[in-house]
Amino acid sequence: MEEDEATLEEFEQAGKLGAKIREDSKRLINIGEGVLDIAETIEGMIAEEGAYPAFPVNISINEIAAHYTPEDGDGSTLGEEDVVKVDFGVEVNGAISDTAYTIDLGGKHGELVAAAEDALAKAIAAIRPGVKVGEVGAVVEETIKAKGFRPIANLTGHMIKTGMLHAGVEIPNVKNEDPYEFQVGDYFAVEPFATDGKGYVSDTEQVEIFSLYMPGGLRMRQSRQLLNHIINSYGMLPFAERWLLKEFKSKLLVKNALKEMLKAHVLKRYPVLKDAGGGMVAQAEHTIVVEEKGARILTQ
Ligand SMILES: [Co+2]
């Protein structure tokens, strides 16, 4: 875990890298492209910059809203009609940026994508010191509804702190009564989600992403080995099962150790989330810092 707080300069650097990789990665999003290839290429782009992925690259397609990262050996490819959300994070000395975009490969969901992007722009414009997070949620909700879609009520933007991707405070996609007021120096990932479906997500059976919850007693030597690796390599940040497989080679070892760690509540799981009505989902995301005059986008 990080002892010292990352500096504004480090957050700016993480933001700049996130922006660059976001733009560079868009050329990978083509019909027929392998989803695992895309994720590994983006994670490689982050490493090439001397930074770390703050979480596994999420490539969530169509009704899948979040938390899908390809599994080891994943053979799936992008289809002609796919609505593809790419969401990734860059970590520099504990400073984290988080950014996402949506590409509509079939060209039929442009308005949905625009609704998420417009909600992002308006949400960022609404953020100032003293404004409540729930008021920004209201802006997101109104913007998306005005375009005839639904905001996803149980997904949120989130405060970022050094070494912590989700630092407690949330920016909802709908109006709520959360009294938290933005303060100068806060970092937030702002990420509206729009859908033509139900407007809330439910868990699927699939889980590819985990993070450390509470280190505790583990009986199996392999589990303790894996736990040490997780603490040393990822700290509290989310990681993918495929990353562990790369490190430990043995599928059985990783599966059994993960099983024990989940049972002992050492790990938190992030199930793949989909719109409950099977609607299409679009997302747009930037990381911002709150300044006297308002939010400044770090990922641009
Ligand atoms: Co994100």
Side-chain angles (χ1 to χ4, degrees):
M1 280 230 277
E2 305 288 333
E3 291 252 295
D4 297 314
E5 277 189 33
T7 62
L8 175 60
E9 288 70 29
E10 287 167 325
F11 273 94
E12 286 172 339
Q13 198 193 340
K16 274 207 182 79
L17 289 177
K20 177 174 182 276
I21 293 162
R22 182 187 61 234
E23 294 314 309
D24 287 351
S25 72
K26 285 179 181 170
R27 80 171 84 98
L28 303 168
I29 312 306
N30 302 302
I31 296 159
E33 207 83 56
V35 178
L36 180 58
D37 255 7
I38 297 168
E40 289 189 328
T41 302
I42 296 173
E43 286 164 4
M45 291 162 106
I46 296 169
E48 260 170 47
E49 300 286 351
Y52 292 94
F55 53 89
V57 173
N58 284 210
I59 303 174
S60 302
I61 299 168
N62 299 335
E63 74 280 8
I64 304 296
H67 299 170
Y68 183 82
T69 197
E71 61 184 320
D72 183 56
D74 196 317
S76 59
T77 57
L78 297 182
E80 285 174 24
E81 304 276 298
D82 283 348
V83 173
V84 186
K85 278 95 44 205
V86 177
D87 187 344
F88 66 95
V90 175
E91 192 232 310
V92 176
N93 295 333
I96 294 166
S97 72
D98 185 352
T99 187
Y101 58 89
T102 302
I103 291 186
D104 166 29
L105 288 171
K108 289 181 183 156
H109 300 278
E111 306 228 335
L112 180 67
V113 176
E117 289 173 350
D118 195 21
L120 175 61
K122 292 208 162 81
I124 290 172
I127 295 172
R128 275 184 316 282
V131 168
K132 293 186 176 72
V133 287
E135 295 173 329
V136 174
V139 170
V140 170
E141 179 173 8
E142 283 157 22
T143 306
I144 291 172
K145 283 186 173 167
K147 296 196 180 257
F149 300 107
R150 292 196 170 101
I152 295 190
N154 57 345
L155 286 175
T156 67
H158 47 97
M159 183 183 262
I160 294 174
K161 283 186 176 166
T162 303
M164 280 175 83
L165 183 61
H166 289 252
V169 183
E170 296 178 337
I171 304 177
N173 283 319
V174 293
K175 179 180 161 58
N176 76 9
E177 299 306 319
D178 188 331
Y180 184 85
E181 296 179 0
F182 291 98
Q183 294 176 28
V184 172
D186 282 352
Y187 299 102
F188 272 93
V190 189
E191 52 178 326
F193 287 81
T195 182
D196 59 7
K198 282 258 197 262
Y200 58 91
V201 288
S202 50
D203 290 358
T204 67
E205 293 289 303
Q206 194 177 3
V207 186
E208 299 294 337
I209 302 176
F210 305 89
S211 71
L212 189 59
Y213 180 62
M214 208 187 288
L218 294 168
R219 293 180 54 198
M220 283 167 25
R221 184 177 54 83
Q222 291 95 328
S223 302
R224 292 197 297 270
Q225 234 180 337
L226 201 65
L227 176 61
N228 280 333
H229 171 73
I230 289 165
I231 292 169
N232 293 329
S233 305
Y234 318 125
M236 301 302 286
L237 295 175
F239 57 87
E241 184 170 339
R242 68 183 156 82
W243 291 359
L244 300 179
L245 287 168
K246 216 160 236 167
E247 195 66 30
F248 286 85
K249 312 295 185 225
S250 163
K251 224 172 199 160
L252 198 63
L253 184 157
V254 169
K255 292 260 180 234
N256 286 338
L258 274 180
K259 209 188 266 174
E260 189 185 13
M261 283 192 277
L262 286 166
K263 219 171 149 189
H265 303 288
V266 168
L267 296 183
K268 178 176 158 53
R269 55 170 82 212
Y270 298 85
V272 173
L273 301 171
K274 62 162 199 246
D275 178 72
M280 285 288 172
V281 178
Q283 172 199 20
E285 179 178 23
H286 273 307
T287 297
I288 61 107
V289 59
V290 180
E291 299 186 327
E292 288 293 349
K293 287 186 202 157
R296 174 162 62 94
I297 301 174
L298 296 174
T299 43
Q300 74 176 0

